């Protein structure tokens, strides 16, 4: 196919002026270099965007998994996907760098060396090719014009001869024509025959001269055409070389580090052990967790240090029983809260609270506010540091002392609290809760104020994730 096309180009280039397509191919070569550079530049931009998306995806999901309810070896296996994304992102950034710093620059430099612009416009190579074809065709084109002129004269003489013969034949049948007029027609026929012979001889002579000049003409044209072919061959071979290099840069399957990424990912996933995770959960959150059962304790001054700010606030209204501190693995669980039971001062005897880790409670930490970031919060509504109450309290709904009796009388042990209107506030400063019943937030976070400020400067509020606790009143301001 390509050979036939080349032969056709040669035959076409043999005609006067039919070398334009061959010359135009040089200009097309320069434009194709620009097209290839644009193609590689666009692919490099895609590699960069993909790498950025992988990094953002890994960062976002790593935070979600770490804050979510998943634990143990399965959590580590899950996080291995994010590590894989970060490493693959680095490889794609390397691909982007190779495409731009090596392939793109290589094409740019070759184009600059192969094509030389002229001050008057166009390229030097294009002008040289066009001048070469025009010079090779000039002698042969001159003889071709002579042939065309001789051909035209010969055909005109033949036409005139035929017309003279036709008139002579018609005159012989006309009796009114005198002999002198008939002789003139016969002489004209004779002269037209001689003109035909002369123009034919000249036509044949000019055509013979053209045929004799044709081999030299074709040789000259072939030389110029081969020069154009050699120039185009360099471009085609260079394009093939560049495309192979681009293929090597894009093919990550042959990169050793790329294979190691997925080999490591597979190993991390295979290390996930359900039995081990269940054993850990049983030891830390189930019946196997270590317990600090209530024991008789002598009074000491250090006992006051265990009181929370909430207990200090209510100390004048009743007798406060201290919460039970957990030991062992429970100390490392920041999301476990201790609570205390308060009763009025006229109570005859105080009841020591006992810890029940299996007591059903209303989960208030799993709801998500609509104002939270949709990109993250719409995926997972759980956080590992959200509050899960571990001790029973008189504030719970299943406490018989906190509900009304059958006659509608209120429970004398209920705290005298007057509900305040909830107000949305915004944090002015960062605050990290020092106690388990305190909230933590960053400057600019929004939360809900549930109760007015007490005499010690503390307010009760609720974060958007449902966590309820205390915070310094002067750390926030109302949202206008």
């Amino acid at each position: 196919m390509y050979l036939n096309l080349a032969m056709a180009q040669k035959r076409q280039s043999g005609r006067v002026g039919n070398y334009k397509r061959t010359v135009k191919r040089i200009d097309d070569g320069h434009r194709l270099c620009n097209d290839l550079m644009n193609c590689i530049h666009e692919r490099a931009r895609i590699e960069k965007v993909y790498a950025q998306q992988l990094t953002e995806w890994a960062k976002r999901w790593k935070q979600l998994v770490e804050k979510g309810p998943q634990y143990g070896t399965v959590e580590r296996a899950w996080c291995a996907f994010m590590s894989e994304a970060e490493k693959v992102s680095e490889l794609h950034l390397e691909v982007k760098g190779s495409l731009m710093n090596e392939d793109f620059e290589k094409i740019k430099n070759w184009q600059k060396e192969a094509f030389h612009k002229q001050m008057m416009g166009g390229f030097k190579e294009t002008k040289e090719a066009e001048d070469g074809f025009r010079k090779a065709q000039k002698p042969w084109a001159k003889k071709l014009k002579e042939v065309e002129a001789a051909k035209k004269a010969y055909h005109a003489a033949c036409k005139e001869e035929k017309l003279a013969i036709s008139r002579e034949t018609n005159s012989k049948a006309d009796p009114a024509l005198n002999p002198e007029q008939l002789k003139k027609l016969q002489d004209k026929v004779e002269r037209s025959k001689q003109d035909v012979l002369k123009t034919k001889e000249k036509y044949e002579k000019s055509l013979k001269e053209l045929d004799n000049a044709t081999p030299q003409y074709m040789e000259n044209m072939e030389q110029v055409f081969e020069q154009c072919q050699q120039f185009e061959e360099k471009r085609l071979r260079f394009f093939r070389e560049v495309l192979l290099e681009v293929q090597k840069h894009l093919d990550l399957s042959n990169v050793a580090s790329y294979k190691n990424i997925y080999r490591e990912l597979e190993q991390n996933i295979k290390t996930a052990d359900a039995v081990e995770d269940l054993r850990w959960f049983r030891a830390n959150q189930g019946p196997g967790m270590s317990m600090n059962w209530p024991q008789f304790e002598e009074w000491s001054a250090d006992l006051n240090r265990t009181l929370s700010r909430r207990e200090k606030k209510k100390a004048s209204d009743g007798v406060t029983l201290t919460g039970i501190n957990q030991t062992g693995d429970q100390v490392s669980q920041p999301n476990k809260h201790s609570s205390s039971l308060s009763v009025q001062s006229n109570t005859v005897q105080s009841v020591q609270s006992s810890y029940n880790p299996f007591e059903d409670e209303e989960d208030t930490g799993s709801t998500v506010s609509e104002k939270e970031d949709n990109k993250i919060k719409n995926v997972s509504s759980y956080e590992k540091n959200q509050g899960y109450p571990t001790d029973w309290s008189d504030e719970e709904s299943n406490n018989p002392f906190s509900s009304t009796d059958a006659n509608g009388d209120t429970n004398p042990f209920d705290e005298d609290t007057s509900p305040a209107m909830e107000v949305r506030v915004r944090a002015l400063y960062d605050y990290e809760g020092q106690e388990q019943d305190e909230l933590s937030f960053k400057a600019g976070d929004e939360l809900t104020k549930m109760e007015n400020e007490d005499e010690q400067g503390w307010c009760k509020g609720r974060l958007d994730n449902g966590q309820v606790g205390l915070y310094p009143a002067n750390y926030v301001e109302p949202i206008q």
Side-chain angles (χ1 to χ4, degrees):
M1 174 181 174
Y2 296 104
L3 181 60
N4 294 336
L5 180 60
M7 294 299 295
Q9 284 183 328
K10 291 180 181 179
R11 289 195 295 271
Q12 292 291 334
S13 63
R15 301 179 182 179
V16 176
N18 280 355
Y19 53 81
K20 301 296 184 180
R21 177 66 185 89
T22 303
V23 175
K24 184 177 181 298
R25 187 175 59 173
I26 299 177
D27 294 333
D28 291 341
H30 184 273
R31 181 177 61 82
L32 289 172
C33 288
N34 290 333
D35 292 343
L36 184 56
M37 285 191 291
N38 291 333
C39 177
I40 293 177
H41 182 266
E42 187 173 342
R43 178 57 187 266
R45 187 165 58 248
I46 292 174
E47 294 291 331
K48 179 181 178 180
V49 172
Y50 179 58
Q52 292 175 344
Q53 290 178 343
L54 280 178
T55 302
E56 294 173 359
W57 174 86
K59 180 179 179 181
R60 183 165 63 92
W61 274 98
K62 188 175 182 180
Q63 293 177 353
L64 287 172
V65 174
E66 289 177 349
K67 294 181 179 180
Q70 186 57 59
Y71 56 90
T73 58
V74 174
E75 178 187 0
R76 290 195 294 271
W78 193 345
C79 289
F81 280 102
M82 278 61 87
S83 300
E84 172 266 343
E86 293 174 349
K87 296 176 182 178
V88 172
S89 173
E90 295 177 358
L91 291 179
H92 282 279
L93 286 177
E94 293 178 2
V95 171
K96 176 258 181 184
S98 299
L99 292 176
M100 293 303 299
N101 299 331
E102 298 180 23
D103 302 330
F104 185 90
E105 291 296 327
K106 186 174 183 179
I107 300 173
K108 183 178 179 181
N109 294 333
W110 186 89
Q111 182 190 43
K112 186 176 181 180
E113 295 175 359
F115 299 91
H116 302 84
K117 291 185 177 181
Q118 299 184 118
M119 295 181 61
M120 301 301 295
F123 298 102
K124 177 183 177 182
E125 291 72 22
T126 304
K127 188 176 186 305
E128 289 178 352
E130 189 170 3
D131 292 344
F133 279 119
R134 188 181 292 110
K135 183 178 180 181
Q137 282 190 345
K138 188 174 181 180
W140 189 83
K142 183 178 180 181
K143 293 184 178 298
L144 180 62
K145 288 183 178 181
E146 295 176 357
V147 170
E148 293 293 337
K151 176 183 176 182
K152 184 178 181 181
Y154 170 67
H155 287 175
C158 291
K159 182 179 180 181
E160 188 65 26
E161 179 189 18
K162 183 178 180 181
L163 183 60
I165 294 174
S166 176
R167 289 176 180 175
E168 181 189 10
T169 303
N170 293 334
S171 64
K172 290 180 179 179
D174 187 4
L177 194 65
N178 56 36
E180 185 177 353
Q181 292 177 338
L182 182 60
K183 189 174 184 310
K184 288 182 179 180
L185 291 176
Q186 291 176 349
D187 292 343
K188 189 172 184 178
V189 170
E190 188 65 25
R191 287 194 304 269
S192 63
K193 288 183 178 180
Q194 291 178 1
D195 290 341
V196 168
L197 292 176
K198 289 180 181 178
T199 54
K200 182 179 180 181
E201 182 181 358
K202 186 176 181 180
Y203 179 34
E204 290 176 345
K205 181 181 178 182
S206 61
L207 189 60
K208 186 177 180 179
E209 290 177 356
L210 181 66
D211 291 341
N212 293 335
T214 298
Q216 183 64 39
Y217 162 68
M218 292 302 298
E219 182 180 352
N220 294 338
M221 291 292 290
E222 184 73 20
Q223 289 179 357
V224 180
F225 183 79
E226 284 301 322
Q227 291 176 359
C228 295
Q229 287 288 84
Q230 292 175 5
F231 184 83
E232 178 68 6
E233 182 182 7
K234 291 180 181 179
R235 186 190 68 82
L236 295 175
R237 291 184 180 276
F238 173 74
F239 269 41
R240 180 179 182 274
E241 177 184 348
V242 170
L243 292 175
L244 284 175
E245 292 181 1
V246 172
Q247 179 267 331
K248 292 179 181 179
H249 292 150
L250 294 177
D251 187 8
L252 296 178
S253 62
N254 295 325
V255 180
S257 58
Y258 186 78
K259 296 179 180 179
N260 293 334
I261 290 174
Y262 291 96
R263 189 179 298 112
E264 181 180 353
L265 175 62
E266 181 181 5
Q267 293 175 354
N268 289 331
I269 295 175
K270 289 183 177 180
T271 56
D273 188 349
V275 176
E276 180 180 347
D277 289 352
L278 293 175
R279 186 185 302 113
W280 177 89
F281 192 86
R282 180 183 182 86
N284 290 272
Q285 304 293 338
M289 63 188 301
S290 58
M291 303 291 291
N292 187 12
W293 299 104
Q295 297 179 0
F296 179 80
E297 298 179 3
E298 291 289 348
W299 180 89
S300 64
D302 295 337
L303 187 61
N304 293 332
R305 299 179 182 177
T306 62
L307 297 177
S308 66
R309 286 184 173 85
R310 187 196 302 270
E311 293 165 341
K312 291 178 180 178
K313 175 183 175 182
K314 301 177 182 179
S316 60
D317 297 334
V319 179
T320 302
L321 298 182
T322 61
I324 302 173
N325 294 328
Q326 301 176 6
T327 60
D329 295 336
Q330 295 169 315
V331 178
S332 62
Q333 302 292 333
N335 59 344
K336 300 295 184 281
H337 294 275
S338 62
S339 61
S340 59
L341 175 65
S342 298
V343 296
Q344 294 183 352
S345 58
N346 57 356
T347 305
V348 177
Q349 53 180 327
S350 62
V351 181
Q352 188 174 11
S353 63
S354 60
Y355 172 72
N356 185 358
F358 303 104
E359 185 173 3
D360 294 333
E361 296 182 44
E362 181 181 357
D363 186 4
T364 61
S366 61
T367 60
V368 182
S369 173
E370 294 179 355
K371 291 187 178 180
E372 290 185 288
D373 187 7
N374 291 331
K375 183 180 293 186
I376 298 179
K377 294 301 182 182
N378 61 357
V379 180
S380 175
S381 60
Y382 295 95
E383 291 188 2
K384 289 186 178 179
N385 60 354
Q386 67 184 10
Y388 293 100
T390 58
D391 294 338
W392 64 272
S393 170
D394 58 345
E395 297 176 355
E396 297 173 21
S397 60
N398 58 357
N399 188 345
F401 294 100
S402 62
S403 60
T404 57
D405 56 14
N407 297 327
D409 297 331
T410 58
N411 189 352
F413 294 98
D414 278 345
E415 297 177 1
D416 185 14
T417 59
S418 58
M421 182 178 299
E422 295 185 347
V423 180
R424 293 291 289 175
V425 295
R426 181 184 294 107
L428 296 173
Y429 319 100
D430 296 349
Y431 182 74
E432 186 70 22
Q434 304 299 320
E435 300 287 345
Q436 292 183 348
D437 59 345
E438 295 179 9
L439 300 178
S440 298
F441 45 78
K442 299 291 184 181
D445 291 350
E446 297 183 4
L447 59 151
T448 301
K449 175 183 175 182
M450 300 176 62
E451 294 181 3
N452 295 329
E453 178 183 354
D454 62 7
E455 63 276 7
Q456 296 182 359
W458 292 87
C459 284
K460 182 179 180 181
R462 181 178 65 250
L463 299 179
D464 288 341
N465 63 2
Q467 183 180 354
V468 177
L470 301 176
Y471 64 90
N474 57 352
Y475 270 58
V476 300
E477 64 177 358
I479 299 178
Q480 300 298 331

